């Protein structure tokens, strides 16, 4: 899925405005309601073709049933796990939309439903695999909502040693997590999630040491991306050195892996005939404790695979910020977990929240809170009064800052100083909602290169040139590079070009000829920036009617900054972002809350 097909697009939002009869987004063989919906940008040509072919195989002749299949197919590729019939109507599209109840009855009687192509439940239309995954995740989580026998005297001593009277939220969350099989720990940036996890691990290891066999528990740290896993590893190591001396060995040498690597991805496996992973319900993970970080980025499919691979007696800690952007793939699992657990909070303490912020001072913290609260007036007032924040009306105001940064990168690269170049790269991030288009990262990468060429008089005809900022866009196991690693092209003393890289395993150097899939990184999408930080962030907002302009996008972009933020847009676009929530259709919260 590309960044332009990302999870913020919602069912009912126009995807595009056709420019001509030859627009590649139009399905030329579409007829009836499919043709109308496609011509008005409600569904893609791909969704039309899939729905037509499957309906033909199933013997479905009802035009509205085939439309529902196309809408459901598009909803899944846009991040939802199902189609919500209550939100499907779009009055801008000239169709005779049935009311949700009538539409549901029509679909339940359709050949698509009777042959199992779709499943319809409580106004939601599913493709088969996603209803199975939602049901499994809810069932597995509810089965794990049981208590764990803890040595209370050891626990109390450990809590006093690690927390004392400080950090009451973190102490309460850790106390609950020691006593139960599953914990969902949420909080915004800087609320101490990783510090809490480090202390919690020390408590859990101490509990194991106090048992008769005294066996050290096997701990698995995992995250959806290699970059996120490495950052969790580094953050826990940084927190470990501040633990009491007796606890430091308890949190030492803990490995962090991506969820794929933890489960043991088997490339080329046919999922119809076998599990794609070495560890599953028949071959559980060996870990006693599993911590999942950056859980907002975990898809429904990966959460299902992880839960089924856990030993029934293993303790699970799910960590993340539910207000951030969700996974690129289908599902908004962390937000659904929070909503579902809130509905059954009286019977479980699985959900623990951290709200006190340690990282941000002043403006950025106030703005992040206003965005989370959905208070557009307060957010705009905070931007206007804070010296850490600025709102600029047009992109021309960015030229000076972007060119200065690019020229500084170029200077260090020509001098062969890769360390200094990487330091400059970490100072600033230009973030965009889209990958392509006039507000997209690709456009801004070309624009900065053009401005630099105008300043230096030097045009680069080769893809690799000194000072080119790099973003690794796919895993490259041969070179130990991962999606999200960054770097700069540097010229060495002999005139050869090399890539100075900031990888998940530390800084390293490779010949540029060894690199395969890379992008220029004067700009990047907000999705790609998740889990990272920069001293200063500039965020280019799309137009106010863009389906990508959401509260979650703005919040995620703003909270990537350590010290200051520039937002390119107007008060109206900021207001539009805060007032538009990312709407992913899902039944997981309801299943979890009522199971």
């Amino acid at each position: 899925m590309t960044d332009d097909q990302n999870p913020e697009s919602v069912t009912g939002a126009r995807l595009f405005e056709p420019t001509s009869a030859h627009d590649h987004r139009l399905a030329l063989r579409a007829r009836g309601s499919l043709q109308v919906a496609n011509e008005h940008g409600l569904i893609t040509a791909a969704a039309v073709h899939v729905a037509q072919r499957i309906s033909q195989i199933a013997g479905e002749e009802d035009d509205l049933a085939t439309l529902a299949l196309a809408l459901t197919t598009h909803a899944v590729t846009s991040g939802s796990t199902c189609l919500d019939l209550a939100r499907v109507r779009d009055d801008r599209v000239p169709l005779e939309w049935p009311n949700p109840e009538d539409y549901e009855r029509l679909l339940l009687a359709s050949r698509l439903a009777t042959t199992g192509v779709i499943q319809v439940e409580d106004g939601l239309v599913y493709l088969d695999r996603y209803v199975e995954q939602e049901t499994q995740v809810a069932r597995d989580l509810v089965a794990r909502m049981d208590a764990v026998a803890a040595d209370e005297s050891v626990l109390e001593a450990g809590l006093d040693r690690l927390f004392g009277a400080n950090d009451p939220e973190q102490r309460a969350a850790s106390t609950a997590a020691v006593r139960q099989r599953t914990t969902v720990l949420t909080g915004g940036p800087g609320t101490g999630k990783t510090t809490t996890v480090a202390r919690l691990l020390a408590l859990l290891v101490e509990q194991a040491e106090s048992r008769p066999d005294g066996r050290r528990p096997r701990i698995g740290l995992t995250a959806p991306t290699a970059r996120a896993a490495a950052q969790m590893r580094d953050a826990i190591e940084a927190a470990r050195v501040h633990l009491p001396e007796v606890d430091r060995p308890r949190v030492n040498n803990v490995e962090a892996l991506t969820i794929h690597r933890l489960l043991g991805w088997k490339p080329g496996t046919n999922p119809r005939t076998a599990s794609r992973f070495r560890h599953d319900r028949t071959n559980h993970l060996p870990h006693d404790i599993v911590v999942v970080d950056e859980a907002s980025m975990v898809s429904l499919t990966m959460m299902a695979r992880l839960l089924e691979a856990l030993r029934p007696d293993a303790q699970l800690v799910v960590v993340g910020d539910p207000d951030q952007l969700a996974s690129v793939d289908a599902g908004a699992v962390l937000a659904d977990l929070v909503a579902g657990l809130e509905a059954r909070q009286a019977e479980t303490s699985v959900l623990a929240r951290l709200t006190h912020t340690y990282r941000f001072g002043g403006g950025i913290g106030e703005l992040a809170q206003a965005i989370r609260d959905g208070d557009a007036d307060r957010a705009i007032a905070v931007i206007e009064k804070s010296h850490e924040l600025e709102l600029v009306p047009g992109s021309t105001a960015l030229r000076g800052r972007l060119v200065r940064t690019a020229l500084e990168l170029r200077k260090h690269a020509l001098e062969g100083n890769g360390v200094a170049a990487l330091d400059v790269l970490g100072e600033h991030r230009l973030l965009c909602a889209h990958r392509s288009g006039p507000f997209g990262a690709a456009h801004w990468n070309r624009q900065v290169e053009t401005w630099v060429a105008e300043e230096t008089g030097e045009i680069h005809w080769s893809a690799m040139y000194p000072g080119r900022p790099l973003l690794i866009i796919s895993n490259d196991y041969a070179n130990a590079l991962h999606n999200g690693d960054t770097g700069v092209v540097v010229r060495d003393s002999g005139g050869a070009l090399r890539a100075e890289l900031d990888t998940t395993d530390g800084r390293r150097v490779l010949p540029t000829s060894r690199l395969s899939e890379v992008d220029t990184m004067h700009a990047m999408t907000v999705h790609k920036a998740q889990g990272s930080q920069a001293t200063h962030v500039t965020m280019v907002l799309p137009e106010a009617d863009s389906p990508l302009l959401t509260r979650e996008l703005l919040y995620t972009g703003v909270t990537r900054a350590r010290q200051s933020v520039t937002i390119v847009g107007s008060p109206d676009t900021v207001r539009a972002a805060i007032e538009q929530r990312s709407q992913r259709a899902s039944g997981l919260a309801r299943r979890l809350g009522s199971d």
Side-chain angles (χ1 to χ4, degrees):
M1 184 181 299
T2 68
D3 289 303
D4 294 324
Q5 294 171 308
N6 73 25
E8 287 69 58
S9 56
V10 297
T11 303
R14 289 176 187 253
L15 299 170
F16 58 87
E17 293 291 344
T19 57
S20 74
H22 302 289
D23 193 314
H24 71 280
R25 294 166 296 188
L26 293 177
L28 300 182
R29 296 184 180 180
R31 297 292 181 269
S33 61
L34 285 177
Q35 180 180 10
V36 175
N38 177 233
E39 287 178 347
H40 284 78
L42 194 60
I43 52 177
T44 63
V48 170
H49 297 320
V50 168
Q52 286 179 318
R53 180 58 179 155
I54 293 178
S55 291
Q56 182 182 35
I57 294 171
E60 180 58 68
E61 297 180 355
D62 192 294
D63 187 52
L64 286 175
T66 302
L67 174 61
L69 176 57
L71 289 166
T72 304
T73 301
H74 168 66
V76 168
T77 61
S78 300
S80 295
T81 60
C82 56
L83 175 70
D84 187 346
L85 292 176
R87 298 209 311 255
V88 73
R89 182 186 182 97
D90 188 333
D91 291 330
R92 299 169 299 177
V93 180
L95 287 171
E96 292 294 327
W97 295 102
N99 66 51
E101 294 78 14
D102 290 342
Y103 212 166
E104 181 171 2
R105 281 192 290 270
L106 181 153
L107 293 174
L108 284 169
S110 70
R111 287 284 299 168
L112 292 175
T114 58
T115 57
V117 173
I118 60 173
Q119 293 194 39
V120 186
E121 296 183 5
D122 299 321
L124 303 178
V125 184
Y126 288 89
L127 302 180
D128 188 57
R129 63 179 289 195
Y130 293 103
V131 71
E132 290 179 358
Q133 288 174 4
E134 279 192 3
T135 302
Q136 181 218 310
V137 167
R139 182 180 63 243
D140 286 348
L141 280 170
V142 170
R144 306 189 103 266
M145 290 182 189
D146 56 343
V148 172
D151 187 319
E152 293 296 331
S153 62
V154 172
L155 175 58
E156 196 63 29
L159 290 167
D160 288 341
R161 185 178 66 250
L162 287 159
F163 295 96
N166 300 319
D167 307 313
E169 284 185 335
Q170 296 180 19
R171 178 172 177 140
S174 297
T175 303
V178 170
R179 293 172 174 164
Q180 60 198 17
R181 192 76 57 201
T182 300
T183 302
V184 178
L185 178 65
T186 71
T191 53
K193 295 189 296 294
T194 306
T195 300
T196 303
V197 168
R199 293 172 176 174
L200 170 60
L201 291 176
L203 292 171
L204 291 172
V205 173
E206 185 179 25
Q207 287 285 316
E209 291 171 347
S210 71
R211 297 183 186 117
D213 62 4
R215 182 179 66 86
R216 178 183 173 87
R218 185 164 180 177
I219 300 170
L221 304 182
T222 189
T225 68
R227 171 64 63 179
Q231 287 175 337
M232 174 170 55
R233 175 200 64 206
D234 295 345
I236 287 180
E237 177 60 26
R240 186 184 73 85
V241 301
H242 298 291
L243 296 178
E245 187 173 352
V246 68
D247 292 300
R248 292 173 199 165
R250 292 173 172 145
V251 195
N252 194 25
N253 298 322
V254 181
E255 187 178 21
L257 300 172
T258 64
I259 299 175
H260 278 79
R261 291 186 65 189
L262 181 76
L263 295 177
W265 170 250
K266 296 189 291 187
T269 302
N270 184 350
R272 294 172 182 261
T273 59
S275 171
R276 297 185 182 190
F277 297 101
R278 185 170 65 255
H279 294 291
D280 55 21
R281 205 174 294 278
T282 63
N283 180 30
H284 289 134
L285 288 163
H287 302 85
D288 303 285
I289 303 162
V290 173
V291 180
V292 185
D293 198 17
E294 294 290 355
S296 66
M297 299 164 63
V298 179
S299 69
L300 176 66
T301 299
M302 288 309 301
M303 183 58 75
R305 300 290 81 82
L306 177 64
L307 288 172
E308 70 181 10
L310 292 174
R311 290 195 344 240
D313 61 339
Q315 285 181 272
L316 172 67
V317 183
V318 178
V319 185
D321 184 351
D323 296 305
Q324 288 194 147
L325 289 171
S327 163
V328 173
D329 296 315
V333 173
L334 183 60
D336 284 343
L337 294 189
V338 171
L341 291 171
E342 284 177 337
R344 59 191 304 154
Q345 191 68 26
E347 58 184 274
T348 179
S349 59
V350 170
L351 180 61
R353 297 178 184 273
L354 301 179
T355 59
H356 181 74
T357 302
Y358 299 87
R359 177 187 302 168
F360 299 124
I364 297 176
E366 288 185 55
L367 177 58
Q369 189 59 52
I371 296 170
R372 291 176 67 177
D373 293 342
D375 191 334
D377 290 336
R378 178 155 57 95
I380 293 167
V382 169
I383 294 172
E384 291 174 346
K385 76 175 185 180
S386 175
H387 69 277
E388 305 164 28
L389 308 167
E390 63 176 339
L391 180 64
V392 297
S395 57
T396 55
L398 301 183
R399 174 166 179 159
R401 176 181 296 139
L402 297 177
V403 171
R404 281 195 302 273
T405 300
L407 290 177
E408 192 172 0
L409 274 178
R410 179 176 180 271
K411 171 180 175 293
H412 293 308
L414 290 171
E415 294 171 349
N417 192 341
V419 173
L422 285 175
D423 288 343
V424 170
L425 192 64
E427 287 296 306
H428 179 254
R429 286 284 187 274
L430 175 61
L431 304 182
C432 305
H434 302 261
R435 171 162 173 72
S436 57
F439 298 95
H443 164 79
W444 278 101
N445 280 319
R446 291 191 300 270
Q447 182 63 73
V448 174
E449 288 180 326
T450 299
W451 284 338
V452 171
E454 291 171 357
E455 292 284 334
T456 64
E458 184 177 352
I459 299 176
H460 299 288
W461 301 105
S462 171
M464 295 295 179
Y465 57 85
R468 182 190 177 190
L470 301 172
L471 175 66
I472 307 299
I473 59 174
S474 66
N475 293 330
D476 179 358
Y477 296 111
N479 288 311
L481 298 177
H482 296 92
N483 190 352
D485 287 346
T486 59
V488 181
V489 177
V490 174
R491 178 176 291 159
D492 65 23
S493 57
L497 296 181
R498 67 177 191 265
E500 294 271 352
L501 296 158
D502 183 8
T503 76
T504 54
D505 297 316
R507 292 189 172 183
R508 54 195 302 253
V509 179
L510 283 175
T512 55
S513 59
R514 294 271 298 276
L515 302 180
S516 53
E517 295 189 63
V518 297
D519 269 352
T520 301
M521 202 190 73
H522 292 296
M524 66 193 304
T525 63
V526 177
H527 260 287
K528 287 286 188 183
Q530 269 188 280
S532 67
Q533 291 276 304
T535 303
H536 180 82
V537 163
T538 299
M539 188 174 181
V540 180
L541 297 183
E543 294 177 318
D545 61 353
S546 170
L548 304 188
L549 186 65
T550 63
R551 184 184 304 177
E552 291 79 4
L553 180 92
L554 182 60
Y555 172 81
T556 303
V558 164
T559 54
R560 298 311 92 206
R562 295 190 189 95
Q563 293 182 8
S564 56
V565 178
T566 297
I567 299 173
V568 181
S570 66
D572 286 343
T573 53
V574 171
R575 186 179 301 279
I578 293 173
E579 292 176 351
Q580 178 166 289
R581 298 300 305 267
S582 175
Q583 298 182 52
R584 289 192 166 196
S586 166
L588 178 58
R590 184 166 59 196
R591 295 177 198 279
L592 190 58
S594 61
D595 199 318

